[in-house]
Amino acid sequence: MPQTVFPAAGTMFTPSGFSPHLASTCSEADPEEEEGPQEARGPGACAADGPPITSASLDTLIQHLVPTADYYPEKAYVFTFLLSARLFISPPELLVRLCDTCIKQQQLDQSPLDTAKVRKFGPKILQLLTEWTETFPTDFREEKMVGLFKDIIHRIAPCDEAYWKTLNQVLQTLNQKLAAIAQGEESIVKVNASSVSSISDKLVGFKTKPPPIQKDILSICNDPYTLAQQLTHVELEHLSHIGPEEFVQAFVQKDPLDSTQPCFSEQKKKTTNLEAYVRWFNRLCYLVATEICMPAKKKQRAQVIEFFIDVARECFNIGNFNSLMAIISGMNMSPVSRLKKTWGKAKTAKFFILEHQMDPTGNFYNYRTALRGAVHRSQTANSIREKIVIPFFSLLIKDIYFLNEGCANRLPNGHVHFAKFVELARQVGEFMTWKQIECPFETDRSILHYLHTAPIFSEDGLYLASYESESPENQVEKDRWKALRSNILVKTKELKEHHGS
């Protein structure tokens, strides 16, 4: 499969849509200036109305999260800390620390309670825990998390029975979210299972003979705009299942897109949706290449090329940069790009313009410029269609990967390098804003089914189809063609022997 690993994007999501002041630097503070217990201040997410935090001890950061009767942390801080804290402490451990601190500070283990004080504190702890369930609902898959939530509310409920009602509403909403997430994960598993099929390479040798061995994309959809809309459906569906916590795994794995790197099973489980999205990108690359290599006649192959160029252009206009890049990547795969006679017959001016937009030169400068334009359009949009922003996902992941590589999680004095996580929250938060957009286009189930289940060639199959279409031009290609055909004959013989037995 093509490796969608590219070198950084760098407004903000929260459940309430706030736009916090965020740091854009990962420069490490002078450790000599941070020997004391106080947190370092500078550009970053504020805990309250003070200057932003750039670094602090984990204990201090946790203390800043704890609400009191007269204090509530800024939403930017809540999102940033809950996102990044899991690198240092598990969500259940963090909630235990949070609840224990609240119990001690508010004297919730004593009787009678200070009713006036608790009534000022109660709404704030409820708000914090509600924000947590809204933004990171999968943290509450663990019964311990829900139990801790119930326990803290049980302690303050005697002062106001309305807290129980609010708790039940929050838990009901949480259960609905978790059910929807589970259903989405199951659908991804089913789609992945139906997407792994590929045309047997041995059939390539017969592709010049009718009838065709499979349907082709033009028989399913011959309108570029319609296909671009359906691709946008697939993209937004995948995005909707990716939680912000999955991005933190880029700080755990050496390379978030390299499945060969070791990763703890629980961490791996938490990146399931992210990895499924990367697999979708790779599938689309191969589907495009398969559709181009399959037709027996040069004129038909050129027609498919022109069709996908138009689809890519419509994806660009919609703001669907991920499908755009997958299509360009598929058309640039060697088995496709070597078809010189086919390309010579196609009108390719628009393709080179799109290729220029996604040129990796200057750290994808042209793409980043186009992305900023799409973001600006989204922010000033008058219609849902204009709000769509689907980034080139692998580049976003690489941005996060290089953020991790370039900045330590902790400073030499042991403080958490919070400015780094403010930048992480900025990038993830922006993505979370984009993924909330509901697709405004009508669903065409026949097209969606084809996109997910149409057989695709393996890399060897693509080369075989390519050589069948346009003969090898040099000795290297001739040797490869010979080896591939020989391999097919061996597979065919083994298959016959297996059926014979």
Side-chain angles (χ1 to χ4, degrees):
M1 293 300 229
Q3 293 300 306
T4 58
V5 178
F6 295 93
T11 106
M12 170 79 191
F13 158 84
T14 66
S16 303
F18 67 99
S19 298
H21 175 65
L22 294 165
S24 58
T25 178
C26 280
S27 58
E28 296 189 4
D30 185 349
E32 293 183 2
E33 296 179 1
E34 300 186 70
E35 292 296 335
Q38 76 279 8
E39 67 274 10
R41 298 285 186 171
C46 305
D49 295 330
I53 299 171
T54 58
S55 68
S57 67
L58 181 60
D59 288 342
T60 299
L61 293 173
I62 293 175
Q63 185 62 49
H64 279 309
L65 183 69
V66 179
T68 67
D70 304 308
Y71 164 82
Y72 189 84
E74 283 194 355
K75 290 183 178 180
Y77 181 84
V78 174
F79 178 71
T80 302
F81 185 66
L82 290 180
L83 177 66
S84 58
R86 61 198 66 234
L87 289 169
F88 309 98
I89 184 173
S90 69
E93 290 176 300
L94 176 59
L95 187 53
V96 167
R97 293 273 297 272
L98 175 72
C99 291
D100 285 348
T101 303
C102 289
I103 291 170
K104 291 177 182 177
Q105 289 183 349
Q106 305 302 319
Q107 299 179 324
L108 300 180
D109 53 350
Q110 297 184 11
S111 182
L113 295 174
D114 185 335
T115 302
K117 184 179 179 181
V118 171
R119 281 183 174 172
K120 291 179 67 178
F121 164 76
K124 292 184 173 65
I125 187 62
L126 265 172
Q127 180 183 348
L128 178 64
L129 295 176
T130 300
E131 283 185 37
W132 194 338
T133 63
E134 289 175 347
T135 316
F136 302 93
T138 55
D139 287 351
F140 290 83
R141 277 176 163 166
E142 296 189 40
E143 291 184 9
K144 182 177 181 181
M145 293 286 288
V146 177
L148 289 166
F149 191 171
K150 289 180 177 178
D151 178 70
I152 193 72
I153 302 305
H154 174 75
R155 291 176 182 273
I156 63 174
C159 295
D160 193 334
E161 288 296 322
Y163 294 147
W164 277 122
K165 183 179 180 181
T166 303
L167 170 67
N168 291 330
Q169 292 173 342
V170 172
L171 292 180
Q172 184 178 5
T173 302
L174 173 64
N175 289 332
Q176 291 171 349
K177 277 194 173 186
L178 291 176
I181 291 171
Q183 186 176 5
E185 290 173 345
E186 289 176 8
S187 67
I188 286 177
V189 171
K190 291 178 181 177
V191 167
N192 286 338
S194 62
S195 297
V196 296
S197 61
S198 63
I199 302 174
S200 177
D201 293 339
K202 71 185 180 68
L203 293 177
V204 179
F206 307 116
K207 78 186 194 72
T208 57
K209 298 180 181 181
I213 61 174
Q214 70 167 115
K215 291 181 179 180
D216 59 77
I217 188 65
L218 290 176
S219 69
I220 301 297
C221 175
N222 60 8
D223 177 48
Y225 184 50
T226 299
L227 183 57
Q229 290 179 333
Q230 299 311 303
L231 287 171
T232 303
H233 263 292
V234 177
E235 301 283 351
L236 289 174
E237 177 67 18
H238 272 284
L239 295 187
S240 69
H241 298 312
I242 299 174
E245 67 279 358
E246 293 197 42
F247 288 92
V248 177
Q249 299 312 309
F251 293 82
V252 178
Q253 291 176 249
K254 183 178 180 181
D255 186 331
L257 298 179
D258 185 352
S259 59
T260 64
Q261 292 291 339
C263 184
F264 298 110
S265 59
E266 187 61 26
Q267 293 164 349
K268 195 75 172 176
K269 181 180 177 182
K270 291 179 180 178
T271 62
T272 300
N273 299 312
L274 187 150
E275 292 168 0
Y277 192 34
V278 174
R279 284 195 297 273
W280 153 250
F281 180 96
N282 289 332
R283 172 175 169 77
L284 183 53
C285 290
Y286 270 72
L287 179 61
V288 169
T290 298
E291 293 288 340
I292 294 172
C293 290
M294 268 303 301
K297 296 181 180 180
K298 178 171 56 180
K299 181 179 179 180
Q300 293 173 322
R301 293 194 299 274
Q303 184 183 6
V304 177
I305 286 176
E306 292 176 356
F307 174 72
F308 275 115
I309 291 173
D310 289 337
V311 174
R313 183 186 61 179
E314 295 297 348
C315 286
F316 179 86
N317 292 337
I318 289 172
N320 181 357
F321 296 103
N322 203 56
S323 289
L324 166 62
M325 190 62 179
I327 293 171
I328 291 176
S329 298
M331 297 175 81
N332 276 325
M333 291 179 70
S334 295
V336 178
S337 62
R338 68 168 297 278
L339 299 173
K340 296 177 182 177
K341 295 178 182 179
T342 301
W343 281 95
K345 203 165 185 64
K347 299 174 183 177
T348 57
K350 289 179 288 187
F351 176 69
F352 296 125
I353 294 173
L354 292 169
E355 229 183 4
H356 177 70
Q357 290 290 341
M358 305 304 286
D359 185 350
T361 302
N363 195 16
F364 287 88
Y365 176 82
N366 293 337
Y367 158 70
R368 293 182 191 280
T369 301
L371 179 64
R372 284 195 297 272
V375 171
H376 177 72
R377 181 185 68 178
S378 176
Q379 292 170 343
T380 58
N382 295 316
S383 67
I384 297 179
R385 295 188 180 199
E386 294 176 329
K387 288 182 177 292
I388 296 173
V389 180
I390 302 173
F392 174 27
F393 191 68
S394 294
L395 184 57
L396 174 61
I397 294 298
K398 274 301 178 183
D399 285 347
I400 293 174
Y401 169 64
F402 284 117
L403 170 63
N404 181 49
E405 289 293 292
C407 306
N409 288 347
R410 290 184 184 270
L411 299 179
N413 64 354
H415 282 188
V416 173
H417 193 179
F418 200 63
K420 168 181 177 175
F421 300 115
V422 169
E423 175 61 14
L424 171 65
R426 183 187 68 80
Q427 295 190 33
V428 174
E430 195 169 43
F431 169 83
M432 297 301 290
T433 298
W434 300 335
K435 65 165 269 185
Q436 292 183 88
I437 302 299
E438 291 188 15
C439 190
F441 308 121
E442 289 187 18
T443 300
D444 188 315
R445 299 204 173 278
S446 63
I447 297 176
L448 293 175
H449 179 75
Y450 186 85
L451 290 172
H452 286 305
T453 63
I456 56 176
F457 282 124
S458 65
E459 186 174 6
D460 285 347
L462 285 173
Y463 272 109
L464 268 171
S466 181
Y467 294 146
E468 290 275 351
S469 298
E470 295 186 19
S471 300
E473 294 184 343
N474 54 54
Q475 193 58 45
V476 173
E477 288 190 344
K478 289 177 182 178
D479 290 345
R480 181 166 192 167
W481 191 23
K482 182 179 178 180
L484 289 172
R485 291 177 68 87
S486 176
N487 187 43
I488 285 176
L489 291 174
V490 171
K491 288 182 178 179
T492 303
K493 183 178 179 181
E494 291 176 349
L495 191 62
K496 287 182 178 179
E497 291 176 351
H498 175 73
H499 287 306
S501 61

